Amino acid sequence: MEHVPALDEDLKKTLGPATAKVLAEQLGLHTALDLLHHYPRKYAERGELTALTELADQLDEHVTVVAQVADARILTFNGGRGRRLEVTITDGNGRLQLVFFGAGVHKPHKELLPGTRAMFAGKVGIFNRKLQLSHPAYEPLGADASDQDAATAFAGRLIPIYPACAKLESWKIAKCVDAVLPSARETVDPLPPALREGRGLVPLTEALLKIHRPATKADVEDARQRLKWDEAFVLQVALARRRRADSQLPAVPRRPVPGGLLDAFDAKLPFTLTEGQRTVSKEIFDDLATEHPMHRLLQGEVGSGKTMVALRAMLAVVDCGGQAAMLAPTEVLAQQHHRSITEMMGELAEGGMLGGSDQGTKVVLLTGSMGMPARRKALLDLVTGEAGIVIGTHALIEDKVQFHDLGLVVVDEQHRFGVEQRDALRSKGKQPPHLLVMTATPIPRTVAMTVFGDLETSVLDQLPAGRSPIATHVVPAKDKPHFLARAWERVREEVGKGHQAYVVCPRIGDEETADPKKKSAEADGDKRPPLAVLEIADELRGGPLAGLSVEVLHGRMDPADKDDVMRRFAAGEVKVLVATTVIEVGVNVPNSTVMVIMDADRFGVSQLHQLRGRVGRGSAPGLCLLVSEMHEASPARARLAAVAATLDGFELSRIDLEQRREGDVLGQAQSGVRSSLRMLAVIDDEEVIAQAREEATRVVADDPELERLPGLKLALDALLDTEREQYLEKG
């Protein structure tokens, strides 16, 4: 009787130590179950020729192509001592060169005759400006191929192309899958039978057989639908259980006090809140009034007034005797928040001080670089309750920091913090504090349901009155150098009108390139290094912006120097700030009207949108210039054109997600989610995710411990070991 590998059996037993080692180290596959969930990324048909024309976008990536040999010839070099085999393959649309050297030319020279069809796998390289695969592995596919078994296996079938690596080609992975495929019948189905039948989904065993060895395209579709549901549903059950557990925790209700600090603050506001700000504030106040902790995500467009909404929530908590802490990802941002909040509050931020309001409270700053006396004073103000509001960086999380009564934690730019950091701050409350998470990165609804599925979501999509429109243009520096010269003229014109400018670069410029190979490749002109803050600042001071006060800001500066530059820029003394992306979030200088982003193609779509939001914050219109040397037809230029075409962050985040794929967007810290999404595409599968969320909420309400659904409980345990369960709290 054949040996059926157990699902949790180490692959060494089935495949041997050498192959198992490569699968584990290169692809993270350790057991038969892991391998069964390593799905083909596409399928080739024997009669279909794979598109070689798409390889230009996959430089330095490991690819598998199915193509036919057009010609093969041996060339000699080094006076006849060296031999090189050049094979040209075609798919009817494009052509690609394969090269083999030295003793490695004999076998392929005999086997790769013109007309031979084969699968080829290798790393896409470039030589003499032409794409090529050097020493690719190959597997012939025809009836005339030397490997009759391979030919029979592939005849008339869809050929699965697996995500592969240099040491293990796609067809070798297919053979490994064959070895564990019998164990698919041992899998436990996580979907409740009523759900599966009601939605017409095939059983899990059938789905696994069809995804790996489909007879038809309909098989692939059946399998994909089913496996997407598994991923969406198990993940949504995890999030529904997290929401339920949170709703069971106790919390102190914090209701605004009439005639208190919040009312005094609202009375002195020089403007009226937007409709959106009022709606979102009501949602937050309703949450704060309950006896279990608020868990709310506040996402809003750049400059939509999230800080104002968060501040009003903090004041409401202070009104009823609690304290509020705001956690910012960088010192620049923490200092900026502290400055703007104390300015907005005026004498209300000077509670207990001479000239301060009777209704006021103290607003303190706590960062790692503060001097000891200031730090000691801030810590004392927190433990005695003298300070109602604290704004800080990771320094807030340290053991020494104690609160009198922590009632609300506001986390700014959520994706910059790990779970442990946020939990450490939340654990400083006598009871779990309320939690408000803010992000200026607009998140499509499905991503919010997938990544932030345990948080209620509020969206601010209205800009406050008085905010100006921002015009965005692409500056093609290589094709039209005079456009770049005009960009610097525009900066001078804006400064001449009394305004200020940002120039953003991808690199600081004081780092040594550690990798000598990389350095020489860049020097050869393949790709120059990204433009640097220090170099560009020098060029501008000595050239197009000579005579203007140009300063630099980057993450490796001393914190006191950073604060000094930001303070002088905010005061209007510095006219042009050349910076890295440290200015990406929260920096608010309404007098800045123009931003020039150098090497804009090296930034992501959402990041460009964030950066652009730093200008046009006052009454004068904003201008953002995206400088790039990329060719007009390149995908990078298409990305920049998309940013220039719209100010809608939600639209741009969809584009960003489609281009970067889920993994990057969900982020490294989202470990549990990231590794579980193999089939589900969070943008395309919006309907599946929304339906899975409804089903999951129903299932968890009915059977919170999943006692009647052992298959689902098993799948959940596999997805979420304890560590990952915590990641789902929002890593």
Side-chain angles (χ1 to χ4, degrees):
M1 191 180 145
E2 62 175 322
H3 166 67
V4 177
L7 291 170
D8 56 358
E9 189 169 283
D10 192 302
L11 289 170
K12 282 191 200 113
K13 283 191 184 173
T14 318
L15 305 174
T19 304
K21 186 173 186 233
V22 176
L23 285 168
E25 288 177 1
Q26 303 285 318
L27 298 168
L29 307 173
H30 303 275
T31 65
L33 190 63
D34 291 344
L35 193 47
L36 286 174
H37 287 300
H38 186 69
Y39 309 130
R41 59 188 175 81
K42 61 178 181 179
Y43 301 86
E45 292 177 74
R46 285 200 63 214
E48 171 204 18
L49 292 164
T50 311
L52 296 181
T53 47
E54 291 169 14
L55 293 184
D57 294 336
Q58 300 184 51
L59 203 57
D60 285 337
E61 284 187 28
H62 203 81
V63 299
T64 303
V65 295
V66 176
Q68 188 165 329
V69 176
D71 64 63
R73 56 204 176 123
I74 286 189
L75 306 171
T76 57
F77 56 93
N78 276 357
R81 290 193 301 279
R83 289 156 65 81
R84 179 168 85 237
L85 171 65
E86 288 186 358
V87 179
T88 305
I89 59 172
T90 179
D91 65 355
N93 294 316
R95 291 166 86 81
L96 178 68
Q97 194 169 61
L98 317 176
V99 289
F100 302 85
F101 294 98
V105 304
H106 303 298
K107 187 169 179 279
H109 191 218
K110 278 193 292 197
E111 292 180 342
L112 298 178
L113 303 170
T116 305
R117 290 178 49 71
M119 284 203 285
F120 301 92
K123 200 175 192 183
V124 182
I126 201 157
F127 181 71
N128 279 346
R129 302 193 177 277
K130 276 189 184 164
L131 291 176
Q132 68 168 29
L133 299 185
S134 182
H135 274 284
Y138 60 89
E139 177 96 335
L141 294 181
D144 57 341
S146 59
D147 188 344
Q148 280 299 328
D149 290 344
T152 312
F154 290 126
R157 279 284 176 105
L158 292 169
I159 305 163
I161 307 290
Y162 287 92
C165 60
K167 292 183 180 172
L168 210 61
E169 296 82 19
S170 170
W171 54 87
K172 288 185 183 165
I173 292 174
K175 286 173 184 169
C176 296
V177 170
D178 282 338
V180 300
L181 210 47
S183 64
R185 63 180 101 122
E186 307 296 318
T187 52
V188 182
D189 202 319
L191 292 191
L195 188 160
R196 184 171 61 72
E197 286 154 19
R199 297 197 174 270
L201 301 167
V202 300
L204 179 57
T205 300
E206 189 182 325
L208 289 170
L209 294 172
K210 282 182 167 178
I211 201 75
H212 289 292
R213 299 295 172 262
T216 63
K217 287 180 178 174
D219 281 355
V220 175
E221 196 41 50
D222 283 350
R224 280 191 169 147
Q225 269 314 104
R226 162 63 215 244
L227 295 167
K228 279 177 183 181
W229 253 96
D230 276 19
E231 288 178 10
F233 180 69
V234 174
L235 180 55
Q236 291 301 334
V237 167
L239 292 165
R241 290 184 77 196
R242 167 66 51 197
R243 286 196 299 276
R244 190 177 182 284
D246 284 340
S247 72
Q248 311 288 310
L249 290 172
V252 179
R254 312 278 180 175
R255 297 181 182 88
V257 176
L261 185 55
L262 177 61
D263 284 353
F265 175 75
D266 283 350
K268 65 194 282 300
L269 277 181
F271 52 83
T272 54
L273 297 174
T274 65
E275 187 60 42
Q277 284 174 318
R278 281 200 293 273
T279 305
V280 170
S281 289
K282 183 180 183 314
E283 290 170 354
I284 291 170
F285 291 147
D286 288 348
D287 282 359
L288 288 173
T290 62
E291 293 185 354
H292 58 82
M294 165 171 80
H295 288 93
R296 189 165 284 278
L297 170 69
L298 170 56
Q299 49 170 337
E301 274 292 9
V302 179
S304 57
K306 290 183 300 300
T307 309
M308 172 60 72
V309 168
L311 175 56
R312 294 182 74 246
M314 293 196 284
L315 295 175
V317 168
V318 174
D319 262 348
C320 47
Q323 291 168 292
M326 181 185 256
L327 186 58
T330 64
E331 294 212 350
V332 168
L333 190 50
Q335 288 158 343
Q336 170 86 35
H337 275 318
H338 183 252
R339 235 190 329 266
S340 63
I341 282 173
T342 48
E343 279 168 16
M344 282 195 278
M345 287 176 66
E347 75 280 2
L348 294 174
E350 296 167 359
M353 293 188 262
L354 273 176
S357 162
D358 293 342
Q359 289 169 308
T361 187
K362 229 183 223 186
V363 179
V364 299
L365 177 69
L366 191 65
T367 65
S369 65
M370 279 168 71
M372 212 47 206
R375 189 179 170 77
R376 211 173 278 131
K377 180 81 183 82
L379 291 172
L380 187 66
D381 286 341
L382 287 179
V383 78
T384 59
E386 188 97 348
I389 294 176
V390 59
I391 294 142
T393 54
H394 298 80
L396 277 178
I397 294 162
E398 289 172 13
D399 292 343
K400 289 183 192 135
V401 182
Q402 293 183 337
F403 290 84
H404 177 65
D405 179 13
L406 180 60
L408 171 66
V409 173
V410 178
V411 180
D412 194 20
E413 286 311 314
Q414 159 61 30
H415 58 282
R416 310 263 179 124
F417 289 100
V419 175
E420 300 81 6
Q421 296 162 325
R422 209 191 49 246
D423 280 353
L425 184 52
R426 279 176 66 186
S427 68
K428 291 179 182 291
K430 293 185 175 73
Q431 279 194 321
H434 298 280
L435 175 69
L436 180 65
V437 165
M438 299 199 297
T439 178
T441 307
I443 303 166
R445 175 170 162 261
T446 42
V447 181
M449 280 194 291
T450 308
V451 187
F452 297 102
D454 58 341
L455 298 173
E456 299 302 324
T457 304
S458 295
V459 178
L460 271 180
D461 49 12
Q462 248 181 318
L463 291 188
R467 286 297 300 263
S468 303
I470 305 169
T472 309
H473 302 285
V474 179
V475 177
K478 205 168 194 172
D479 312 344
K480 299 177 178 169
H482 59 288
F483 275 38
L484 182 57
R486 176 70 188 123
W488 301 127
E489 281 171 22
R490 284 291 288 114
V491 171
R492 287 198 89 96
E493 286 165 14
E494 287 299 309
V495 172
K497 292 179 195 166
H499 298 308
Q500 289 158 277
Y502 295 103
V503 178
V504 180
C505 303
R507 195 165 62 94
I508 296 172
D510 60 355
E511 56 283 274
E512 287 297 314
T513 302
D515 184 349
K517 273 198 278 189
K518 193 171 171 191
K519 205 167 191 177
S520 65
E522 287 172 341
D524 288 346
D526 272 3
K527 200 169 188 188
R528 63 161 173 73
L531 294 172
V533 166
L534 301 178
E535 293 154 17
I536 292 292
D538 285 345
E539 280 177 32
L540 294 176
R541 287 188 192 111
L545 303 184
L548 301 183
S549 59
V550 176
E551 294 274 3
V552 301
L553 182 72
H554 58 76
R556 279 212 284 275
M557 285 166 65
D558 180 86
D561 294 342
K562 273 195 282 199
D563 196 37
D564 177 57
V565 170
M566 267 318 295
R567 194 184 46 70
R568 288 189 295 116
F569 186 62
E573 296 163 30
V574 173
K575 297 301 178 192
V576 180
L577 188 63
V578 184
T580 56
T581 55
V582 291
I583 59 149
E584 181 186 344
V585 287
V587 173
N588 182 28
V589 179
N591 193 42
S592 305
T593 54
V594 61
M595 174 177 285
V596 181
I597 304 179
M598 308 302 291
D599 277 348
D601 48 89
R602 295 186 187 245
F603 297 96
V605 169
S606 291
Q607 198 172 27
L608 291 170
H609 181 59
Q610 286 295 311
L611 287 165
R612 165 171 67 184
R614 302 304 109 212
V615 297
R617 299 176 80 88
S619 53
L623 174 66
C624 179
L625 302 172
L626 307 173
V627 180
S628 172
E629 292 188 358
M630 298 302 277
H631 188 270
E632 191 171 0
S634 65
R637 279 284 291 278
R639 271 204 328 268
L640 298 184
V643 176
T646 180
L647 290 169
D648 181 342
F650 286 92
E651 176 57 29
L652 288 173
S653 71
R654 284 186 83 92
I655 293 168
D656 199 15
L657 193 56
E658 280 159 9
Q659 289 178 342
R660 287 167 55 200
R661 303 195 185 102
E662 280 76 31
D664 300 340
V665 178
L666 301 186
Q668 289 291 349
Q670 210 47 34
S671 133
V673 174
R674 184 170 187 184
S675 56
S676 70
L677 297 191
R678 296 182 179 90
M679 192 59 80
L680 197 69
V682 291
I683 283 289
D684 301 339
D685 299 321
E686 183 164 348
E687 210 173 302
V688 174
I689 292 168
Q691 290 170 2
R693 183 180 164 111
E694 279 175 32
E695 295 276 12
T697 308
R698 207 166 21 247
V699 164
V700 171
D702 183 46
D703 181 7
E705 298 307 313
L706 309 178
E707 285 162 359
R708 298 192 296 280
L709 297 166
L712 176 55
K713 196 163 178 18
L714 210 65
L716 203 59
D717 293 344
L719 168 71
L720 304 173
D721 49 35
T722 328
E723 175 197 13
R724 286 176 179 176
E725 183 91 55
Q726 288 165 353
Y727 271 117
L728 280 175
E729 279 197 299
K730 294 296 65 59

